[in-house]
Amino acid sequence: MKVVHFSSEARPWASSGGLAEVANALSAAQHEAGDTVWLWMPAYASAKAVIAQRGETLRECGVSGEVTLPIGRWSWRALTLESRESSETAHGRRVGFIDCPDLFDRGGLYHGADHQSFSDNALRFFVFTRAAMEAAPLLMGSAPDILHAHDWQTALAPFWLATERPGAWGACKSLFTIHNLGYPGRFSQRIAGELG
């Protein structure tokens, strides 16, 4: 089975708690069980630093695009993780990153040093999810069988899959997991218009 995970964090590259633990452990276990697994997350500045410390690199893979919204346009590129040993990470699954420095090169995952959430978090994860939806099937070579979206940051992926059904996604099924009801991703209704 071909499985793709969209997560706003995963150990060891970016972690604020349980979501990162589950994204890491579940994707690794699925690969060990024989599935082809890709894990996608944002290319945070902190994740890039961890990758460098671990002796890994991010490789350009020729997949890029733009997300155009009523409030602006954001360019992104897909990067894949390369370890010293092989093109695959520990545990065998592949890891992809969506690089959009305007949105993810910051001092934290969801908030800055003042512990106040970034005011554009809805936009940040909208762009991440849109870009991952475009990049994932291209780099997998064909449509995955399962898309597993994790927490509010990627909640629109199953919705888009059900309502838009991009051709590259074929007959893919989706699964959405809420890891922590204490962080529901609440935003003003005006965000719907801003994001189109």
Side-chain angles (χ1 to χ4, degrees):
M1 188 177 322
K2 296 175 84 170
V3 182
V4 62
H5 292 266
F6 290 175
S7 182
S8 62
E9 56 185 81
R11 277 189 143 289
W13 307 285
S15 176
S16 70
L19 169 58
E21 300 291 338
V22 172
N24 175 53
L26 179 59
S27 59
Q30 288 171 323
H31 175 76
E32 289 167 11
D35 294 328
T36 299
V37 181
W38 274 78
L39 170 65
W40 284 90
M41 60 182 290
Y44 302 107
S46 58
K48 292 174 185 175
V50 169
I51 288 164
Q53 290 168 356
R54 291 170 51 89
E56 299 166 331
T57 57
L58 289 172
R59 181 178 62 86
E60 294 254 5
C61 53
V63 175
S64 62
E66 222 172 53
V67 174
T68 302
L69 301 169
I71 58 171
R73 183 180 312 171
W74 288 266
S75 296
W76 59 269
R77 63 185 179 147
L79 304 172
T80 56
L81 186 69
E82 302 283 337
S83 70
R84 280 185 250 169
E85 294 79 30
S86 71
S87 64
E88 297 187 353
T89 66
H91 307 296
R93 82 242 141 146
R94 299 297 312 260
V95 181
F97 290 84
I98 298 299
D99 190 33
C100 182
D102 289 344
L103 299 178
F104 295 111
D105 278 2
R106 300 187 181 176
L109 306 185
Y110 312 113
H111 55 76
D114 61 0
H115 297 287
Q116 297 298 310
S117 293
F118 295 125
S119 62
D120 61 349
N121 274 343
L123 168 67
R124 295 170 73 225
F125 295 105
F126 182 100
V127 171
F128 162 69
T129 303
R130 250 319 177 193
M133 289 287 294
E134 188 172 330
L138 293 175
L139 291 173
M140 291 182 87
S142 62
D145 298 300
I146 300 288
L147 162 64
H148 191 162
H150 297 268
D151 267 342
W152 71 262
Q153 294 90 343
T154 63
L156 287 173
F159 172 75
W160 288 329
L161 194 60
T163 59
E164 298 177 10
R165 184 54 67 173
W169 285 86
C172 181
K173 304 292 185 194
S174 65
L175 170 67
F176 175 61
T177 299
I178 299 170
H179 293 267
N180 189 334
L181 284 173
Y183 298 98
R186 289 191 181 117
F187 300 97
S188 165
Q189 274 193 313
R190 71 178 166 71
I191 295 295
E194 291 177 357
L195 300 181

